[in-house]
Amino acid sequence: EVVMTQSPATLSLSPGERATLSCRASQSVNSNLAWYQQKPGQAPRLLIYSASTRVTGISARFSGSGAGTEFTLTIASLQSEDFVVYFCQHYNTWPPAFGPGTKVDIK
Amino acid sequence: DVQLVESGGGLVKPGGSLRLSCAASGFTFRSYSMNWVRQAPGKGLEWVASITTSGTYTYYADSVKGRFTISRDNAKDSLYLQMNILRAEDTAMYYCARDYNNYDVLDAYDIWGQGTMVTVSS
């Protein structure tokens, strides 16, 4: 089965800065990769699917890239509401799996 | 509004059973594969189980295989998770989630419920 890892575990940045979150798969998942945002006490929210396709209604400051085993979520200019946790998930083969998450906090 | 609402969580003793339900509204439930995902307190997300549109195919994480059963009733727009032989490590918030596309294949999850908490403790 495919194991997902994310780095860094915590990313400390200031509002307005650019955030770069990494996700790695233990074997190729093609472009079958999603990114979720989770705010405290809430369910996850889908941001990106197929590695780079933004869900309708998600701000253009969120972008995804990558294929195979290396993926990146970029937040162009951090807003106050972006300082939360982000998970990647592959859905290429059974079982699908999530990464451990990256917490973006205020520096 | 497209919505998923879970219910059925609670406190149960180790070895006990619980049945979770997820009521869907605002979309054609029978057209989408559905999933259960759990999150232990302060931890990450763990996929638990999936079921195809007609219920013909079901898939389980190794950690729950043989103990949990996912099912659905398309006439009632409802998804279920029967959990037996519960262990302390099953303690988590359980979310139901909808596949993004109605293709009956592996997919991202675009609609999530608010979750229902399951606590396994003596």
Side-chain angles (χ1 to χ4, degrees):
Chain A
E1 63 183 65
V2 178
V3 177
M4 307 300 292
T5 56
Q6 291 184 242
S7 61
T10 303
L11 188 57
S12 297
L13 295 168
S14 300
E17 287 194 296
R18 180 185 188 90
T20 302
L21 287 66
S22 295
C23 174
R24 175 176 292 179
S26 61
Q27 61 193 74
S28 176
V29 297
N30 299 301
S31 294
N32 296 312
L33 190 286
W35 288 96
Y36 299 85
Q37 177 192 66
Q38 188 176 33
K39 297 180 178 180
Q42 294 186 17
R45 178 174 69 150
L46 179 64
L47 300 176
I48 302 281
Y49 64 96
S50 297
S52 60
T53 304
R54 197 181 314 115
V55 171
T56 301
I58 298 300
S59 170
R61 66 180 183 272
F62 292 94
S63 63
S65 63
T69 62
E70 302 281 344
F71 302 89
T72 301
L73 175 68
T74 301
I75 310 172
S77 176
L78 284 164
Q79 307 297 303
S80 57
E81 62 268 27
D82 300 335
F83 290 91
V84 291
V85 180
Y86 296 85
F87 296 96
C88 62
Q89 178 211 15
H90 92 80
Y91 50 95
N92 191 59
T93 53
W94 296 104
F98 294 88
T102 291
K103 181 180 181 181
V104 179
D105 67 13
I106 299 177
K107 190 173 182 181
Chain B
D1 269 6
V2 175
Q3 197 174 9
L4 296 170
V5 178
E6 301 94 335
S7 60
L11 175 63
V12 61
K13 289 181 168 53
S17 297
L18 214 53
R19 190 196 196 206
L20 306 183
S21 298
C22 172
S25 60
F27 67 98
T28 306
F29 178 74
R30 65 179 180 273
S31 296
Y32 290 85
S33 290
M34 295 295 296
N35 313 276
W36 288 99
V37 176
R38 67 185 180 183
Q39 186 171 34
K43 303 296 184 182
L45 301 169
E46 179 187 15
W47 169 77
V48 173
S50 298
I51 187 167
T52 53
T53 52
S54 62
T56 301
Y57 298 101
T58 56
Y59 304 86
Y60 298 93
D62 285 347
S63 58
V64 307
K65 199 173 295 182
R67 300 187 299 123
F68 289 13
T69 301
I70 187 172
S71 63
R72 65 191 296 161
D73 185 337
N74 287 341
K76 295 183 178 180
D77 292 344
S78 293
L79 176 73
Y80 306 101
L81 186 67
Q82 177 67 42
M83 304 186 296
N84 298 330
I85 318 174
L86 282 160
R87 306 166 178 164
E89 54 265 36
D90 295 319
T91 293
M93 182 71 79
Y94 284 74
Y95 296 101
C96 64
R98 187 188 82 169
D99 269 16
Y100 182 65
N101 291 295
N102 54 348
Y103 296 160
D104 243 359
V105 294
L106 279 162
D107 207 347
Y109 308 148
D110 68 332
I111 305 297
W112 296 64
Q114 85 289 350
T116 187
M117 187 67 200
V118 172
T119 303
V120 185
S121 175
S122 54

